[in-house]
């Protein structure tokens, strides 16, 4: 099993996870959210992929809030200030599972561990 590692701001990581959670709750795909934000179709997918350097900016948060019809930008932020500044995420890539139970050729990332730096 090949592992990968990235260093990322804990705040960025928490915002990305919050956006993903809200997006999925509202039934909005990565591609659809990207289009609602008037950005490239792959933008949100790149932000949510651990191996990509793309992250959300303050401008993006406003676009996301409008696209998901949120009442406030605060819905995208963590409830408290993260204890850590930078974290290291160790992950692997594994095949996605198709509806019939077979392995897909597409890969998904599985987090193995998260370290405080």
């Amino acid at each position: 099993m090949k592992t990968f590692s990235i260093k990322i701001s804990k705040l960025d990581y928490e915002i990305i996870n919050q956006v993903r959670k809200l997006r999925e709750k509202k039934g909005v795909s990565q591609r659809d959210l990207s289009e609602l934000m008037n950005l490239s179709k792959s933008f949100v997918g790149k932000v949510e992929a651990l191996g990509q350097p793309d992250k959300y900016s303050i401008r993006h948060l406003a676009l996301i809030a409008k696209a998901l019809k949120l009442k406030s930008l605060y819905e995208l932020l963590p409830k408290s200030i993260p204890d850590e500044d930078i974290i290291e995420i160790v992950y692997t890539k594994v095949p996605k599972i198709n509806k019939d139970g077979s392995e897909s050729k597409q890969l998904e990332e599985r987090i193995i561990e998260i370290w405080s730096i």
Side-chain angles (χ1 to χ4, degrees), residues 9 11-12 15-16 19 37 39 43 47 54-67 70 72-74 76-78:
S9 152
L11 181 60
D12 281 334
I15 290 170
I16 291 166
V19 170
M37 294 169 67
L39 299 172
F43 178 74
V47 171
D54 303 68
K55 303 296 173 252
Y56 294 124
S57 69
I58 298 295
R59 173 180 167 256
H60 295 139
L61 297 182
L63 294 173
I64 292 165
K66 287 179 185 177
L70 303 178
S72 168
L73 289 176
Y74 290 112
L76 300 173
L77 301 176

Side-chain angles (χ1 to χ4, degrees), residues 3-14 16-17 20 47-52 55 86-92 109-117:
T3 60
F4 304 88
S5 173
I6 62 148
K7 292 180 179 143
I8 184 174
S9 152
K10 176 121 187 236
L11 181 60
D12 281 334
Y13 181 67
E14 289 183 5
I16 291 166
N17 284 333
R20 178 185 298 121
V47 171
E48 291 184 6
L50 292 172
Q52 296 293 320
K55 303 296 173 252
I86 303 295
I87 57 174
E88 182 173 3
I89 301 172
V90 179
Y91 66 99
T92 189
E109 299 162 336
R110 292 258 172 90
I111 294 175
I112 299 170
E113 56 193 339
I114 298 176
W115 299 92
S116 298
I117 296 182

